[in-house]
Amino acid sequence: MRKVLGAFIAFAAMPVASGYAADMALKAPPAAAAAIYNWTGVYIGGEVGGGWASGTTTDVDPSGGFPAGFTSQSITRSGVLGGGYAGYNYQINQIVLGIDGNYDWADLTGSGSDVSPTTGNTSVHSAKMKWDAAITGRLGYANNNMLFFVKGGWAWAGFSESSTSTTPGGALFGNSSSSDTRNGGTVGGGIEYGFAPHWSAKLEYDYVKFRTSNYNASALSAAGVASTPAKSSASDLNEFKGGVAYRF
């Protein structure tokens, strides 16, 4: 009797076991976890963009028929720039901390003219920004392979200017030229997109407020007299850049 009862129980359990096995076979596998982009590491890249730098110059010494204390009209230099950048990021959850440095060659040019309030002389200026560089700290928020960041630090740039002064009658009064390096604080921000495990592209905007620069120009009068009049310049810089970097 016990043998018959055991066989009956085993037979009754077979459909339950078979149904469970069928359910296991038909159950979909769990979805794969979304890939998380890792922003930690060293990177190096190239960038290109455009910018404009505006500034005024004050004659500390009399120069070109202009009195001491005369401030020129603002000249805006605009054009293209491009170069390289590198840095390091460290990611903590969705927060990304980093340090970034760049050096760009620039061809930002502009011109202007002034009339002396004392002699009536006219001075025509040609101005240029030749390069710029910066070292900044970065703070970012990462959404997988998308990074939104702000930055701040210190920047440097090379400026040059040449001027020709003529008398009210049009005769040459003299020429002058100058070149100086300016520095100041910079802030900026942008967005970076990781389009491959080791590659990312960025768009960013930066602003630089340069400290007042004091320097001496090289001047030569029409009579052949050389001098080095002191000048003082105040300027700032705006730039938009795009770049692509390789991440190690």
Side-chain angles (χ1 to χ4, degrees), residues 89-139:
N89 287 326
Y90 184 72
Q91 184 170 355
I92 306 172
N93 297 321
Q94 289 181 284
I95 302 301
V96 179
L97 305 174
I99 185 170
D100 183 269
N102 73 276
Y103 183 94
D104 293 326
W105 292 271
D107 187 25
L108 275 59
T109 60
S111 61
S113 63
D114 294 292
V115 177
S116 170
T118 55
T119 64
N121 284 4
T122 297
S123 184
V124 178
H125 315 286
S126 178
K128 185 173 184 178
M129 194 190 90
K130 301 175 289 184
W131 60 269
D132 78 308
I135 296 178
T136 58
R138 295 207 313 174
L139 172 63

mmCIF file of all heavy atoms in Angstrom, residues 89-139:
data_model
loop_
_atom_site.group_PDB
_atom_site.id
_atom_site.type_symbol
_atom_site.label_atom_id
_atom_site.label_comp_id
_atom_site.label_asym_id
_atom_site.label_seq_id
_atom_site.Cartn_x
_atom_site.Cartn_y
_atom_site.Cartn_z
ATOM 1 N N ASN A 89 41.392 64.833 -14.291
ATOM 2 C CA ASN A 89 40.104 64.800 -13.610
ATOM 3 C C ASN A 89 40.090 63.698 -12.556
ATOM 4 O O ASN A 89 40.729 62.647 -12.730
ATOM 5 C CB ASN A 89 38.963 64.515 -14.595
ATOM 6 C CG ASN A 89 38.652 65.687 -15.487
ATOM 7 O OD1 ASN A 89 38.757 66.841 -15.079
ATOM 8 N ND2 ASN A 89 38.262 65.405 -16.715
ATOM 9 N N TYR A 90 39.328 63.933 -11.499
ATOM 10 C CA TYR A 90 39.084 62.885 -10.505
ATOM 11 C C TYR A 90 37.600 62.894 -10.183
ATOM 12 O O TYR A 90 37.059 63.911 -9.743
ATOM 13 C CB TYR A 90 39.900 63.122 -9.232
ATOM 14 C CG TYR A 90 39.752 62.006 -8.225
ATOM 15 C CD1 TYR A 90 40.341 60.765 -8.442
ATOM 16 C CD2 TYR A 90 38.996 62.196 -7.068
ATOM 17 C CE1 TYR A 90 40.213 59.739 -7.531
ATOM 18 C CE2 TYR A 90 38.855 61.167 -6.149
ATOM 19 C CZ TYR A 90 39.469 59.935 -6.386
ATOM 20 O OH TYR A 90 39.329 58.920 -5.477
ATOM 21 N N GLN A 91 36.938 61.751 -10.440
ATOM 22 C CA GLN A 91 35.491 61.672 -10.279
ATOM 23 C C GLN A 91 35.115 61.024 -8.950
ATOM 24 O O GLN A 91 35.623 59.964 -8.586
ATOM 25 C CB GLN A 91 34.873 60.874 -11.432
ATOM 26 C CG GLN A 91 33.355 60.827 -11.394
ATOM 27 C CD GLN A 91 32.765 60.241 -12.664
ATOM 28 O OE1 GLN A 91 33.474 59.947 -13.622
ATOM 29 N NE2 GLN A 91 31.443 60.077 -12.693
ATOM 30 N N ILE A 92 34.195 61.683 -8.217
ATOM 31 C CA ILE A 92 33.640 61.155 -6.971
ATOM 32 C C ILE A 92 32.131 61.110 -7.159
ATOM 33 O O ILE A 92 31.462 62.148 -7.124
ATOM 34 C CB ILE A 92 34.001 62.036 -5.760
ATOM 35 C CG1 ILE A 92 35.523 62.238 -5.674
ATOM 36 C CG2 ILE A 92 33.465 61.430 -4.479
ATOM 37 C CD1 ILE A 92 35.949 63.253 -4.629
ATOM 38 N N ASN A 93 31.584 59.907 -7.387
ATOM 39 C CA ASN A 93 30.182 59.752 -7.747
ATOM 40 C C ASN A 93 29.904 60.587 -8.993
ATOM 41 O O ASN A 93 30.482 60.330 -10.031
ATOM 42 C CB ASN A 93 29.271 60.115 -6.567
ATOM 43 C CG ASN A 93 29.486 59.192 -5.382
ATOM 44 O OD1 ASN A 93 29.686 57.989 -5.566
ATOM 45 N ND2 ASN A 93 29.439 59.727 -4.179
ATOM 46 N N GLN A 94 29.058 61.616 -8.910
ATOM 47 C CA GLN A 94 28.773 62.440 -10.089
ATOM 48 C C GLN A 94 29.548 63.761 -10.092
ATOM 49 O O GLN A 94 29.413 64.556 -11.018
ATOM 50 C CB GLN A 94 27.275 62.724 -10.182
ATOM 51 C CG GLN A 94 26.452 61.488 -10.566
ATOM 52 C CD GLN A 94 24.984 61.808 -10.675
ATOM 53 O OE1 GLN A 94 24.298 61.960 -9.669
ATOM 54 N NE2 GLN A 94 24.480 61.902 -11.897
ATOM 55 N N ILE A 95 30.363 64.001 -9.076
ATOM 56 C CA ILE A 95 31.169 65.217 -8.997
ATOM 57 C C ILE A 95 32.546 64.951 -9.596
ATOM 58 O O ILE A 95 33.189 63.944 -9.289
ATOM 59 C CB ILE A 95 31.309 65.696 -7.540
ATOM 60 C CG1 ILE A 95 29.931 65.957 -6.929
ATOM 61 C CG2 ILE A 95 32.167 66.952 -7.470
ATOM 62 C CD1 ILE A 95 29.111 66.992 -7.665
ATOM 63 N N VAL A 96 32.983 65.858 -10.461
ATOM 64 C CA VAL A 96 34.291 65.728 -11.110
ATOM 65 C C VAL A 96 35.146 66.943 -10.756
ATOM 66 O O VAL A 96 34.757 68.084 -11.027
ATOM 67 C CB VAL A 96 34.159 65.613 -12.643
ATOM 68 C CG1 VAL A 96 35.535 65.506 -13.299
ATOM 69 C CG2 VAL A 96 33.302 64.395 -13.003
ATOM 70 N N LEU A 97 36.286 66.699 -10.124
ATOM 71 C CA LEU A 97 37.244 67.750 -9.785
ATOM 72 C C LEU A 97 38.435 67.637 -10.724
ATOM 73 O O LEU A 97 38.852 66.531 -11.092
ATOM 74 C CB LEU A 97 37.714 67.592 -8.337
ATOM 75 C CG LEU A 97 36.623 67.545 -7.263
ATOM 76 C CD1 LEU A 97 37.244 67.244 -5.909
ATOM 77 C CD2 LEU A 97 35.848 68.851 -7.221
ATOM 78 N N GLY A 98 39.012 68.776 -11.118
ATOM 79 C CA GLY A 98 40.129 68.697 -12.049
ATOM 80 C C GLY A 98 40.960 69.952 -12.109
ATOM 81 O O GLY A 98 40.618 70.989 -11.535
ATOM 82 N N ILE A 99 42.074 69.832 -12.814
ATOM 83 C CA ILE A 99 42.946 70.961 -13.116
ATOM 84 C C ILE A 99 43.202 70.937 -14.613
ATOM 85 O O ILE A 99 43.352 69.858 -15.214
ATOM 86 C CB ILE A 99 44.261 70.902 -12.312
ATOM 87 C CG1 ILE A 99 45.095 72.161 -12.575
ATOM 88 C CG2 ILE A 99 45.047 69.633 -12.601
ATOM 89 C CD1 ILE A 99 46.279 72.307 -11.640
ATOM 90 N N ASP A 100 43.220 72.130 -15.240
ATOM 91 C CA ASP A 100 43.288 72.224 -16.698
ATOM 92 C C ASP A 100 44.239 73.346 -17.084
ATOM 93 O O ASP A 100 44.269 74.400 -16.440
ATOM 94 C CB ASP A 100 41.881 72.508 -17.246
ATOM 95 C CG ASP A 100 41.835 72.555 -18.759
ATOM 96 O OD1 ASP A 100 42.011 73.643 -19.341
ATOM 97 O OD2 ASP A 100 41.610 71.497 -19.360
ATOM 98 N N GLY A 101 45.019 73.138 -18.134
ATOM 99 C CA GLY A 101 45.911 74.168 -18.654
ATOM 100 C C GLY A 101 45.840 74.219 -20.167
ATOM 101 O O GLY A 101 45.593 73.206 -20.824
ATOM 102 N N ASN A 102 46.020 75.411 -20.738
ATOM 103 C CA ASN A 102 45.981 75.538 -22.199
ATOM 104 C C ASN A 102 46.968 76.595 -22.675
ATOM 105 O O ASN A 102 47.354 77.504 -21.923
ATOM 106 C CB ASN A 102 44.575 75.897 -22.677
ATOM 107 C CG ASN A 102 44.192 77.337 -22.370
ATOM 108 O OD1 ASN A 102 43.744 77.622 -21.260
ATOM 109 N ND2 ASN A 102 44.367 78.252 -23.332
ATOM 110 N N TYR A 103 47.386 76.467 -23.924
ATOM 111 C CA TYR A 103 48.178 77.498 -24.608
ATOM 112 C C TYR A 103 47.634 77.609 -26.023
ATOM 113 O O TYR A 103 47.547 76.605 -26.747
ATOM 114 C CB TYR A 103 49.664 77.141 -24.653
ATOM 115 C CG TYR A 103 50.505 78.231 -25.300
ATOM 116 C CD1 TYR A 103 51.116 79.195 -24.525
ATOM 117 C CD2 TYR A 103 50.648 78.299 -26.688
ATOM 118 C CE1 TYR A 103 51.872 80.212 -25.111
ATOM 119 C CE2 TYR A 103 51.389 79.308 -27.283
ATOM 120 C CZ TYR A 103 52.003 80.263 -26.484
ATOM 121 O OH TYR A 103 52.741 81.272 -27.072
ATOM 122 N N ASP A 104 47.246 78.837 -26.425
ATOM 123 C CA ASP A 104 46.681 79.069 -27.754
ATOM 124 C C ASP A 104 47.454 80.154 -28.491
ATOM 125 O O ASP A 104 47.767 81.196 -27.914
ATOM 126 C CB ASP A 104 45.215 79.509 -27.647
ATOM 127 C CG ASP A 104 44.306 78.423 -27.114
ATOM 128 O OD1 ASP A 104 44.551 77.247 -27.414
ATOM 129 O OD2 ASP A 104 43.339 78.768 -26.402
ATOM 130 N N TRP A 105 47.775 79.896 -29.751
ATOM 131 C CA TRP A 105 48.250 80.956 -30.633
ATOM 132 C C TRP A 105 47.035 81.766 -31.076
ATOM 133 O O TRP A 105 45.956 81.207 -31.306
ATOM 134 C CB TRP A 105 48.955 80.363 -31.853
ATOM 135 C CG TRP A 105 50.243 79.700 -31.503
ATOM 136 C CD1 TRP A 105 51.490 80.271 -31.441
ATOM 137 C CD2 TRP A 105 50.422 78.325 -31.151
ATOM 138 N NE1 TRP A 105 52.431 79.344 -31.072
ATOM 139 C CE2 TRP A 105 51.806 78.134 -30.880
ATOM 140 C CE3 TRP A 105 49.570 77.235 -31.014
ATOM 141 C CZ2 TRP A 105 52.326 76.907 -30.502
ATOM 142 C CZ3 TRP A 105 50.089 76.013 -30.638
ATOM 143 C CH2 TRP A 105 51.455 75.860 -30.390
ATOM 144 N N ALA A 106 47.187 83.066 -31.204
ATOM 145 C CA ALA A 106 46.043 83.925 -31.515
ATOM 146 C C ALA A 106 46.386 84.927 -32.614
ATOM 147 O O ALA A 106 47.538 85.342 -32.763
ATOM 148 C CB ALA A 106 45.582 84.669 -30.258
ATOM 149 N N ASP A 107 45.372 85.309 -33.362
ATOM 150 C CA ASP A 107 45.483 86.359 -34.372
ATOM 151 C C ASP A 107 44.284 87.287 -34.215
ATOM 152 O O ASP A 107 43.418 87.372 -35.072
ATOM 153 C CB ASP A 107 45.527 85.744 -35.773
ATOM 154 C CG ASP A 107 45.810 86.788 -36.846
ATOM 155 O OD1 ASP A 107 46.425 87.826 -36.522
ATOM 156 O OD2 ASP A 107 45.403 86.575 -38.012
ATOM 157 N N LEU A 108 44.257 87.967 -33.057
ATOM 158 C CA LEU A 108 43.196 88.919 -32.755
ATOM 159 C C LEU A 108 43.718 90.319 -33.072
ATOM 160 O O LEU A 108 44.673 90.784 -32.456
ATOM 161 C CB LEU A 108 42.790 88.839 -31.282
ATOM 162 C CG LEU A 108 41.760 87.775 -30.881
ATOM 163 C CD1 LEU A 108 42.239 86.375 -31.227
ATOM 164 C CD2 LEU A 108 41.452 87.869 -29.393
ATOM 165 N N THR A 109 43.134 90.972 -34.061
ATOM 166 C CA THR A 109 43.637 92.261 -34.522
ATOM 167 C C THR A 109 42.544 93.318 -34.479
ATOM 168 O O THR A 109 41.347 93.021 -34.550
ATOM 169 C CB THR A 109 44.182 92.155 -35.955
ATOM 170 O OG1 THR A 109 43.137 91.723 -36.834
ATOM 171 C CG2 THR A 109 45.329 91.152 -36.027
ATOM 172 N N GLY A 110 42.975 94.563 -34.382
ATOM 173 C CA GLY A 110 42.049 95.688 -34.378
ATOM 174 C C GLY A 110 42.791 96.986 -34.641
ATOM 175 O O GLY A 110 44.027 97.029 -34.634
ATOM 176 N N SER A 111 42.051 98.052 -34.864
ATOM 177 C CA SER A 111 42.669 99.355 -35.140
ATOM 178 C C SER A 111 41.801 100.468 -34.585
ATOM 179 O O SER A 111 40.612 100.270 -34.271
ATOM 180 C CB SER A 111 42.887 99.550 -36.642
ATOM 181 O OG SER A 111 41.649 99.502 -37.339
ATOM 182 N N GLY A 112 42.385 101.651 -34.466
ATOM 183 C CA GLY A 112 41.661 102.810 -33.966
ATOM 184 C C GLY A 112 42.477 104.069 -34.176
ATOM 185 O O GLY A 112 43.634 104.017 -34.628
ATOM 186 N N SER A 113 41.911 105.202 -33.850
ATOM 187 C CA SER A 113 42.622 106.476 -34.000
ATOM 188 C C SER A 113 42.173 107.446 -32.922
ATOM 189 O O SER A 113 41.065 107.331 -32.373
ATOM 190 C CB SER A 113 42.389 107.072 -35.390
ATOM 191 O OG SER A 113 41.018 107.374 -35.581
ATOM 192 N N ASP A 114 43.058 108.407 -32.612
ATOM 193 C CA ASP A 114 42.786 109.431 -31.601
ATOM 194 C C ASP A 114 43.304 110.777 -32.093
ATOM 195 O O ASP A 114 44.246 110.834 -32.897
ATOM 196 C CB ASP A 114 43.473 109.090 -30.275
ATOM 197 C CG ASP A 114 42.893 107.839 -29.635
ATOM 198 O OD1 ASP A 114 41.731 107.882 -29.210
ATOM 199 O OD2 ASP A 114 43.605 106.810 -29.567
ATOM 200 N N VAL A 115 42.695 111.843 -31.594
ATOM 201 C CA VAL A 115 43.136 113.207 -31.891
ATOM 202 C C VAL A 115 43.561 113.866 -30.592
ATOM 203 O O VAL A 115 42.828 113.843 -29.596
ATOM 204 C CB VAL A 115 42.022 114.024 -32.565
ATOM 205 C CG1 VAL A 115 42.488 115.462 -32.796
ATOM 206 C CG2 VAL A 115 41.597 113.381 -33.881
ATOM 207 N N SER A 116 44.765 114.434 -30.580
ATOM 208 C CA SER A 116 45.287 115.068 -29.376
ATOM 209 C C SER A 116 44.482 116.310 -29.022
ATOM 210 O O SER A 116 44.227 117.163 -29.895
ATOM 211 C CB SER A 116 46.756 115.447 -29.569
ATOM 212 O OG SER A 116 47.206 116.257 -28.498
ATOM 213 N N PRO A 117 44.073 116.443 -27.755
ATOM 214 C CA PRO A 117 43.323 117.636 -27.351
ATOM 215 C C PRO A 117 44.197 118.885 -27.242
ATOM 216 O O PRO A 117 43.675 119.996 -27.136
ATOM 217 C CB PRO A 117 42.765 117.242 -25.977
ATOM 218 C CG PRO A 117 43.756 116.250 -25.435
ATOM 219 C CD PRO A 117 44.249 115.501 -26.628
ATOM 220 N N THR A 118 45.531 118.729 -27.286
ATOM 221 C CA THR A 118 46.416 119.891 -27.123
ATOM 222 C C THR A 118 47.078 120.314 -28.424
ATOM 223 O O THR A 118 47.190 121.514 -28.704
ATOM 224 C CB THR A 118 47.506 119.579 -26.081
ATOM 225 O OG1 THR A 118 48.200 118.383 -26.458
ATOM 226 C CG2 THR A 118 46.883 119.395 -24.704
ATOM 227 N N THR A 119 47.528 119.343 -29.233
ATOM 228 C CA THR A 119 48.255 119.701 -30.464
ATOM 229 C C THR A 119 47.432 119.495 -31.721
ATOM 230 O O THR A 119 47.804 119.974 -32.793
ATOM 231 C CB THR A 119 49.541 118.860 -30.582
ATOM 232 O OG1 THR A 119 49.183 117.466 -30.720
ATOM 233 C CG2 THR A 119 50.429 119.037 -29.361
ATOM 234 N N GLY A 120 46.328 118.716 -31.627
ATOM 235 C CA GLY A 120 45.552 118.403 -32.817
ATOM 236 C C GLY A 120 46.148 117.273 -33.624
ATOM 237 O O GLY A 120 45.626 116.934 -34.706
ATOM 238 N N ASN A 121 47.264 116.672 -33.162
ATOM 239 C CA ASN A 121 47.860 115.543 -33.869
ATOM 240 C C ASN A 121 46.884 114.355 -33.909
ATOM 241 O O ASN A 121 46.088 114.152 -32.992
ATOM 242 C CB ASN A 121 49.148 115.086 -33.184
ATOM 243 C CG ASN A 121 50.310 116.007 -33.463
ATOM 244 O OD1 ASN A 121 50.146 117.052 -34.110
ATOM 245 N ND2 ASN A 121 51.492 115.651 -32.974
ATOM 246 N N THR A 122 46.975 113.586 -34.981
ATOM 247 C CA THR A 122 46.184 112.361 -35.111
ATOM 248 C C THR A 122 47.106 111.158 -34.996
ATOM 249 O O THR A 122 48.168 111.115 -35.636
ATOM 250 C CB THR A 122 45.458 112.308 -36.469
ATOM 251 O OG1 THR A 122 44.542 113.404 -36.546
ATOM 252 C CG2 THR A 122 44.692 111.004 -36.628
ATOM 253 N N SER A 123 46.696 110.194 -34.176
ATOM 254 C CA SER A 123 47.480 108.975 -34.007
ATOM 255 C C SER A 123 46.630 107.787 -34.446
ATOM 256 O O SER A 123 45.501 107.606 -33.959
ATOM 257 C CB SER A 123 47.916 108.807 -32.552
ATOM 258 O OG SER A 123 48.754 107.686 -32.408
ATOM 259 N N VAL A 124 47.145 106.998 -35.381
ATOM 260 C CA VAL A 124 46.457 105.805 -35.889
ATOM 261 C C VAL A 124 47.129 104.579 -35.292
ATOM 262 O O VAL A 124 48.355 104.418 -35.389
ATOM 263 C CB VAL A 124 46.487 105.749 -37.428
ATOM 264 C CG1 VAL A 124 45.816 104.476 -37.931
ATOM 265 C CG2 VAL A 124 45.806 106.978 -38.020
ATOM 266 N N HIS A 125 46.333 103.697 -34.673
ATOM 267 C CA HIS A 125 46.878 102.549 -33.957
ATOM 268 C C HIS A 125 46.511 101.238 -34.658
ATOM 269 O O HIS A 125 45.401 101.087 -35.182
ATOM 270 C CB HIS A 125 46.319 102.489 -32.530
ATOM 271 C CG HIS A 125 46.313 103.801 -31.822
ATOM 272 N ND1 HIS A 125 47.443 104.391 -31.329
ATOM 273 C CD2 HIS A 125 45.293 104.651 -31.516
ATOM 274 C CE1 HIS A 125 47.142 105.531 -30.734
ATOM 275 N NE2 HIS A 125 45.828 105.717 -30.854
ATOM 276 N N SER A 126 47.432 100.300 -34.622
ATOM 277 C CA SER A 126 47.190 98.933 -35.064
ATOM 278 C C SER A 126 47.548 98.011 -33.891
ATOM 279 O O SER A 126 48.690 98.039 -33.410
ATOM 280 C CB SER A 126 48.045 98.589 -36.291
ATOM 281 O OG SER A 126 47.853 97.255 -36.697
ATOM 282 N N ALA A 127 46.575 97.229 -33.424
ATOM 283 C CA ALA A 127 46.767 96.450 -32.197
ATOM 284 C C ALA A 127 46.532 94.970 -32.454
ATOM 285 O O ALA A 127 45.763 94.577 -33.353
ATOM 286 C CB ALA A 127 45.814 96.946 -31.113
ATOM 287 N N LYS A 128 47.183 94.134 -31.638
ATOM 288 C CA LYS A 128 47.079 92.684 -31.832
ATOM 289 C C LYS A 128 47.249 91.948 -30.506
ATOM 290 O O LYS A 128 47.986 92.399 -29.627
ATOM 291 C CB LYS A 128 48.156 92.218 -32.819
ATOM 292 C CG LYS A 128 48.083 90.746 -33.195
ATOM 293 C CD LYS A 128 49.088 90.415 -34.297
ATOM 294 C CE LYS A 128 48.965 88.973 -34.740
ATOM 295 N NZ LYS A 128 49.915 88.652 -35.847
ATOM 296 N N MET A 129 46.535 90.818 -30.362
ATOM 297 C CA MET A 129 46.819 89.861 -29.294
ATOM 298 C C MET A 129 47.376 88.617 -29.962
ATOM 299 O O MET A 129 46.740 88.035 -30.847
ATOM 300 C CB MET A 129 45.564 89.514 -28.487
ATOM 301 C CG MET A 129 45.880 88.791 -27.173
ATOM 302 S SD MET A 129 44.434 88.110 -26.325
ATOM 303 C CE MET A 129 44.383 86.471 -27.070
ATOM 304 N N LYS A 130 48.585 88.167 -29.545
ATOM 305 C CA LYS A 130 49.330 87.146 -30.276
ATOM 306 C C LYS A 130 49.207 85.743 -29.690
ATOM 307 O O LYS A 130 49.398 84.762 -30.405
ATOM 308 C CB LYS A 130 50.804 87.546 -30.329
ATOM 309 C CG LYS A 130 51.038 88.894 -30.996
ATOM 310 C CD LYS A 130 52.496 89.307 -30.915
ATOM 311 C CE LYS A 130 52.891 89.702 -29.494
ATOM 312 N NZ LYS A 130 54.284 90.207 -29.409
ATOM 313 N N TRP A 131 48.929 85.626 -28.412
ATOM 314 C CA TRP A 131 48.806 84.315 -27.763
ATOM 315 C C TRP A 131 48.114 84.478 -26.416
ATOM 316 O O TRP A 131 48.024 85.582 -25.887
ATOM 317 C CB TRP A 131 50.183 83.657 -27.562
ATOM 318 C CG TRP A 131 51.135 84.476 -26.703
ATOM 319 C CD1 TRP A 131 52.031 85.409 -27.141
ATOM 320 C CD2 TRP A 131 51.251 84.452 -25.270
ATOM 321 N NE1 TRP A 131 52.696 85.970 -26.077
ATOM 322 C CE2 TRP A 131 52.250 85.398 -24.920
ATOM 323 C CE3 TRP A 131 50.624 83.738 -24.264
ATOM 324 C CZ2 TRP A 131 52.615 85.620 -23.585
ATOM 325 C CZ3 TRP A 131 50.989 83.962 -22.937
ATOM 326 C CH2 TRP A 131 51.988 84.894 -22.623
ATOM 327 N N ASP A 132 47.623 83.374 -25.896
ATOM 328 C CA ASP A 132 47.114 83.390 -24.531
ATOM 329 C C ASP A 132 47.278 82.008 -23.905
ATOM 330 O O ASP A 132 47.377 80.998 -24.598
ATOM 331 C CB ASP A 132 45.648 83.857 -24.476
ATOM 332 C CG ASP A 132 44.671 82.770 -24.878
ATOM 333 O OD1 ASP A 132 44.860 82.181 -25.965
ATOM 334 O OD2 ASP A 132 43.715 82.507 -24.128
ATOM 335 N N ALA A 133 47.338 81.975 -22.570
ATOM 336 C CA ALA A 133 47.513 80.728 -21.824
ATOM 337 C C ALA A 133 46.795 80.861 -20.493
ATOM 338 O O ALA A 133 46.561 81.968 -20.004
ATOM 339 C CB ALA A 133 48.995 80.429 -21.603
ATOM 340 N N ALA A 134 46.431 79.727 -19.892
ATOM 341 C CA ALA A 134 45.726 79.762 -18.614
ATOM 342 C C ALA A 134 45.935 78.472 -17.851
ATOM 343 O O ALA A 134 46.153 77.404 -18.449
ATOM 344 C CB ALA A 134 44.234 79.998 -18.827
ATOM 345 N N ILE A 135 45.879 78.564 -16.531
ATOM 346 C CA ILE A 135 45.836 77.410 -15.637
ATOM 347 C C ILE A 135 44.609 77.590 -14.751
ATOM 348 O O ILE A 135 44.468 78.626 -14.088
ATOM 349 C CB ILE A 135 47.105 77.289 -14.781
ATOM 350 C CG1 ILE A 135 48.328 77.042 -15.675
ATOM 351 C CG2 ILE A 135 46.960 76.150 -13.772
ATOM 352 C CD1 ILE A 135 49.626 76.968 -14.908
ATOM 353 N N THR A 136 43.715 76.608 -14.758
ATOM 354 C CA THR A 136 42.457 76.743 -14.026
ATOM 355 C C THR A 136 42.125 75.460 -13.272
ATOM 356 O O THR A 136 42.560 74.367 -13.634
ATOM 357 C CB THR A 136 41.288 77.046 -14.983
ATOM 358 O OG1 THR A 136 41.190 75.998 -15.953
ATOM 359 C CG2 THR A 136 41.483 78.367 -15.688
ATOM 360 N N GLY A 137 41.326 75.617 -12.223
ATOM 361 C CA GLY A 137 40.693 74.484 -11.577
ATOM 362 C C GLY A 137 39.311 74.295 -12.181
ATOM 363 O O GLY A 137 38.673 75.263 -12.614
ATOM 364 N N ARG A 138 38.848 73.023 -12.231
ATOM 365 C CA ARG A 138 37.526 72.748 -12.802
ATOM 366 C C ARG A 138 36.656 72.006 -11.785
ATOM 367 O O ARG A 138 37.137 71.171 -11.021
ATOM 368 C CB ARG A 138 37.632 71.888 -14.065
ATOM 369 C CG ARG A 138 38.337 72.537 -15.222
ATOM 370 C CD ARG A 138 37.870 71.992 -16.567
ATOM 371 N NE ARG A 138 37.805 70.546 -16.644
ATOM 372 C CZ ARG A 138 37.303 69.884 -17.698
ATOM 373 N NH1 ARG A 138 36.834 70.554 -18.730
ATOM 374 N NH2 ARG A 138 37.289 68.577 -17.712
ATOM 375 N N LEU A 139 35.370 72.311 -11.810
ATOM 376 C CA LEU A 139 34.372 71.609 -11.005
ATOM 377 C C LEU A 139 33.243 71.216 -11.940
ATOM 378 O O LEU A 139 32.664 72.069 -12.618
ATOM 379 C CB LEU A 139 33.849 72.512 -9.884
ATOM 380 C CG LEU A 139 32.668 71.970 -9.071
ATOM 381 C CD1 LEU A 139 33.054 70.692 -8.332
ATOM 382 C CD2 LEU A 139 32.158 73.030 -8.097
#
